[in-house]
Amino acid sequence: YAGLVLAWHAMTYYAELRDRQVKAVELESLLHQAQLQTLRSQLNPHFLFNTLHSIAELVHENPALAEQLILRLGELLRQALRSSTEQEVAFAEELDFIRGYVEIEQMRLGDERFQVTWEIAPEALAAKVPSLILQPLTETAIRHGTAARARAGVLAIRADCDDGCLHLQVRDTGP
C-alpha cells in the first residue's frame, strides 16, 4: 500500500512540476511579446512625429520631396504593421524595413548629411532575428552620430555569419 501511495504522489508531483514549467515558458513568451509591443509603441510614434514634422517643413520648400517622403512613410508603416505580430522575422525582412527607415532619414536630413554603407553577407539574410532589432540602433546612430554633426558622416550596417552565429553591427562616424 505504501509503495502505491508513494508512486501516486510521485506521479502527481511530476505532473504538477511539468505544468508549472509549461506555464513559466508561456509567461516568459508573453513577457517578450509585451516588451516587443512596448518597444514598437515607443519607437513608431517618435519616428512618425519626426517624419511628419519634416514633411510639414518641406511642403512649401520642396513639395516633390515632401510627396516622396509621404509615399515612403506609407510603405514603411504598411511594412511595420504587417510584421507587428511576429516576434522573430527573417533578417532579410528586418533589413528591408531598415533600408526604408534609412531612406526616409536621408530624405529628411539630405543625402549630403550622411552616407550609408551596407555590408551584408548573403548567408545572413535567412537568419531569424527579433523584430525591430536594428531600428533603435540605427535611429541612435543617425540621431547622435551622423545628424548631430556639422559635417557629413557615415553610417555602416554590417551583418555576417560565423560558426552559425549572426553578427550584426551598426556603426557611425560621430562622437
Side-chain angles (χ1 to χ4, degrees):
Y1 174 77
L4 208 61
V5 169
L6 186 60
W8 179 80
H9 278 291
M11 286 176 40
T12 303
Y13 176 76
Y14 176 74
E16 287 176 6
L17 179 65
R18 190 183 48 195
D19 288 344
R20 277 191 228 130
Q21 288 174 337
V22 167
K23 285 182 183 183
V25 168
E26 288 172 354
L27 286 173
E28 187 175 337
S29 174
L30 287 173
L31 175 63
H32 289 298
Q33 288 175 359
Q35 288 171 336
L36 181 60
Q37 201 59 29
T38 300
L39 178 63
R40 277 195 179 99
S41 68
Q42 289 172 349
L43 294 175
N44 289 341
H46 174 74
F47 168 67
L48 181 62
F49 292 137
N50 282 348
T51 304
L52 289 173
H53 180 71
S54 294
I55 291 170
E57 290 175 6
L58 286 172
V59 165
H60 301 291
E61 296 172 18
N62 190 343
L65 182 57
E67 183 179 358
Q68 282 182 311
L69 267 171
I70 290 170
L71 293 174
R72 192 62 184 113
L73 179 61
E75 291 172 17
L76 193 66
L77 291 175
R78 257 188 238 98
Q79 194 175 6
L81 290 174
R82 246 192 335 256
S83 68
S84 66
T85 58
E86 301 173 23
Q87 277 190 296
E88 288 187 342
V89 296
F91 182 65
E93 187 177 329
E94 180 73 7
L95 199 57
D96 285 342
F97 181 82
I98 290 303
R99 284 185 198 273
Y101 176 81
V102 168
E103 284 176 20
I104 288 175
E105 289 294 337
Q106 281 184 309
M107 284 188 249
R108 245 176 30 92
L109 300 170
D111 286 335
E112 66 279 352
R113 290 294 300 275
F114 71 96
Q115 298 298 316
V116 182
T117 62
W118 303 89
E119 297 177 35
I120 310 298
E123 62 272 10
L125 297 174
K128 289 287 193 180
V129 295
S131 182
L132 290 178
I133 192 168
L134 285 178
Q135 201 278 337
L137 298 172
T138 305
E139 180 181 10
T140 301
I142 291 171
R143 186 183 317 142
H144 300 291
T146 56
R149 295 170 47 113
R151 54 196 160 120
V154 176
L155 174 69
I157 298 176
R158 296 185 68 227
D160 63 355
C161 291
D162 184 27
D163 293 331
C165 292
L166 177 65
H167 298 278
L168 301 175
Q169 185 180 53
V170 177
R171 297 183 69 187
D172 63 75
T173 55

